[in-house]
Amino acid sequence: QKEVEQNSGPLSVPEGAIASLNCTYSDRVSQSFFWYRQYSGKSPELIMSIYSNGDKEDGRFTAQLNKASQYVSLLIRDSQPSDSATYLCAVRGGSQGNLIFGKGTKLSVKP
Amino acid sequence: NAGVTQTPKFRILKIGQSMTLQCTQDMNHNYMYWYRQDPGMGLKLIYYSVGAGITDKGEVPNGYNVSRSTTEDFPLRLELAAPSQTSVYFCASSYDRDYQETQYFGPGTRLLVL
């Protein structure tokens, strides 16, 4: 059973701080990794994707991938109250190439 | 572009009733997916389709059926609703299933089975 694990949180950070969200996955042949943000009562929204080892930056967001450790993370710099949401890690892999989602980490940014 | 649309937004069913959740996309995407999300949980894949006339089971297909007669529409059918099917259902689509391809989600249907 292919799995994606996330700390469910809640993770609470003060406004302006760096929020660090982590995700591990079990399928070594996974090729692509996604971070979705989901506000309460809303649908998931893609915020970052990463395919190669290392860092990928987009504005205040940085995704980090380490395939050897089967680990992917998301850093949010200068966290804002509007970043308060649940962040879902998703991994694509396996023979069918479907996405496997973690349970999500709830982030709360306090003003 | 409306993207992915779903109807209804919310529905209450009695045990044993049936219903169809509608999903339509206007992006000419080949791939479409149905997920369910239980409280505090991630998304679980119910069924997916790689094109009109082709569907396949995901991780949790029991109690559901799908069809794909057109590129745009991918309805999900619940037969004999059970309380365990109380959940939020999301439809998603993507143009391809290349490893870089992004899935776009509809707004969801909240279903309560009593």
Side-chain angles (χ1 to χ4, degrees), chain B:
Chain B
N1 252 358
V4 181
T5 58
Q6 293 182 239
T7 56
K9 290 183 179 179
F10 177 67
R11 180 79 181 267
I12 299 175
L13 279 184
K14 294 182 179 179
I15 294 172
Q17 287 185 322
S18 62
M19 76 166 293
T20 299
L21 283 67
Q22 301 292 344
C23 175
T24 300
Q25 54 90 10
D26 63 359
M27 298 176 282
N28 199 31
H29 283 173
N30 295 312
Y31 291 77
M32 296 187 74
Y33 311 83
W34 274 106
Y35 294 91
R36 61 175 287 172
Q37 185 177 35
D38 298 329
M41 304 292 285
L43 284 79
K44 299 289 186 182
L45 183 64
I46 305 171
Y47 272 96
Y48 65 99
S49 169
V50 303
I54 307 171
T55 63
D56 205 350
K57 295 178 180 179
E59 185 181 356
V60 289
N62 292 342
Y64 307 94
N65 279 300
V66 294
S67 60
R68 182 108 180 262
S69 57
T70 67
T71 300
E72 295 78 20
D73 301 305
F74 189 38
L76 177 71
R77 178 81 176 165
L78 277 71
E79 304 283 1
L80 298 175
S84 61
Q85 293 178 306
T86 293
S87 191
V88 180
Y89 292 84
F90 290 104
C91 180
S93 72
S94 64
Y95 181 71
D96 202 336
R97 206 165 49 187
D98 178 82
Y99 76 103
Q100 295 188 11
E101 189 65 27
T102 300
Q103 288 187 18
Y104 297 89
F105 285 84
T109 293
R110 188 174 298 272
L111 177 65
L112 179 60
V113 182
L114 299 174

Side-chain angles (χ1 to χ4, degrees), chain A residues 27-71:
Chain A
D27 186 1
R28 284 194 169 275
V29 301
S30 297
Q31 293 184 303
S32 48
F33 309 86
F34 304 86
W35 284 100
Y36 284 84
R37 177 176 62 200
Q38 186 175 27
Y39 292 114
S40 181
K42 301 295 184 181
S43 59
E45 170 193 16
L46 181 70
I47 54 171
M48 287 289 288
S49 57
I50 187 166
Y51 316 112
S52 304
N53 280 329
D55 295 359
K56 179 182 178 182
E57 187 174 318
D58 184 0
R60 296 187 295 111
F61 299 96
T62 298
Q64 299 175 316
L65 175 61
N66 183 326
K67 289 186 179 181
S69 300
Q70 295 175 241
Y71 176 90

